Structures are given as structure tokens and as C-alpha cells.
Amino acid sequence: MMFRPKDRLRTVRSAARFVQPALRRLLATMLCAAALSTMTTTGANGQAGSLTGAQDGAQPASKTAVIPTETIYPGQTIDEAHLQVVAVTNPDLAGDYASGLDQVVGKITNRTLLAGRVIFVAGLREPYAVERGKAVRIVYSNGSLTISAGGSPLDNAAVGDLIRIRNTDSGMIVSGTVMADGTVHVVAK
């Protein structure tokens, strides 16, 4: 007798009817065993104990997340008054989300932050110290020699960023590092 594909399909379907209930029973047994292993029991001395193996009684640290209390739009500076720190109750929450106010306050958002949703750190940036097209002071220092000139940044940049600047006097484009005071220190070639 020759086995046809249609007959194989019937055989697989009939076998699946018996496998599914067996899998359900196996999963139910495993879940019951897991629940039983984490239940608190009373020992011989009357002290409550746990079967999970935690002997020191230390509680696991609860995770927190920072969420906005109102919608924050791209380009806005995030203020502490618009934020709330909450405990994370979703065990499936993953990613690089902000867990403390210090990671968020004073930063600028690149995307819309919805109220009640976690804030991902990748969507935040430091405020710009210099902005494209606005006048800045270019400074070059070498020992006791200091040269200063006016410049126009070709891009937006935060403190510590390497940026290209057009010298407004000569028209030459130079590269430099943005400093906290808003000046750009030129690197020597």
C-alpha cells in the first residue's frame, strides 16, 4: 500500500488530538510545581520559611521607571514638574528606559513622550550649547599664545562635541570642541 500526502496529513491531525491534551496536563503540572516551590511553609520551629532558597530574607530590589504626567513634544526641555517615578509592574518591560529623574531632567526629547509611557534614554539628548548659524567665539590656545575670532557653527552641538565652524573673518572652516561657556576651542592641525 502506498502512503499518499493526504493520508499523512490525516495521521498527523489524529496524533495532534492526543498530544495537545498531554501537553496541557504537562504544563499544568509544571505550573503547579512552580507555584508550590515558591509557597511559604512553616518549619518545625514555627518560623516561616520559603522553599525558593532565599536564606537571608532580602527582598529583590523593585525596578522603577520615569514617566511623563503630560505629553512632551520633540525639542522641549524636560522639567521635573512634568515627571513621575513609578514602580515597574510589567515583567516583560525591557530596553534602556529611564529609571531615575537624574537621567531625564534637563534633557531635550527627540520624539513625542506620551503621558503614562516609559521614557527611553535613546530618545533624549543634552541641550545644545551652540546652534547652527548663531555667532560663537573661536579660541585657539598654545602655551601663552591665545587667538580669538568670531565664528559661525555649521551644525548644532552640545558641550564636548567636535564641530566644524566657519571663521567669519577669513571664511576658513575649522574644527573645534564645544566648551561649557559656549566657546569653541580649535584643535591644531
Side-chain angles (χ1 to χ4, degrees), residues 9-175:
L9 182 60
R10 279 190 209 128
T11 306
V12 169
R13 283 186 183 158
S14 64
R17 281 188 220 133
F18 296 107
V19 171
Q20 289 175 352
L23 282 174
R24 281 190 217 129
R25 283 192 302 272
L26 177 64
L27 286 173
T29 305
M30 290 172 58
L31 288 173
C32 287
L36 184 61
S37 71
T38 59
M39 288 178 60
T40 304
T41 60
T42 305
N45 60 0
Q47 296 291 327
S50 176
L51 296 175
T52 58
Q55 300 296 327
D56 59 357
Q59 296 257 351
S62 61
K63 293 183 180 179
T64 60
V66 178
I67 60 169
T69 56
E70 60 187 51
T71 303
I72 301 173
Y73 294 99
Q76 283 185 318
T77 303
I78 300 173
D79 185 22
E80 190 173 349
H82 303 125
L83 301 174
Q84 181 180 7
V85 178
V86 296
V88 175
T89 57
N90 182 357
D92 296 330
L93 184 62
D96 191 21
Y97 58 88
S99 59
L101 291 174
D102 58 331
Q103 294 177 304
V104 179
V105 174
K107 303 275 177 96
I108 308 292
T109 179
N110 293 330
R111 52 185 77 148
T112 302
L113 303 176
L114 300 175
R117 300 283 181 109
V118 295
I119 300 172
F120 289 98
V121 178
L124 305 176
R125 65 170 172 80
E126 293 292 332
Y128 292 137
V130 297
E131 294 181 16
R132 180 181 179 181
K134 293 195 175 179
V136 295
R137 179 69 44 208
I138 303 172
V139 177
Y140 173 76
S141 295
N142 188 3
S144 62
L145 174 69
T146 301
I147 301 173
S148 177
S152 176
L154 300 179
D155 291 313
N156 298 327
V159 174
D161 288 349
L162 187 66
I163 188 171
R164 295 179 327 136
I165 307 141
R166 181 181 313 276
N167 184 327
T168 52
D169 295 335
S170 67
M172 208 170 142
I173 297 176
V174 294
S175 295

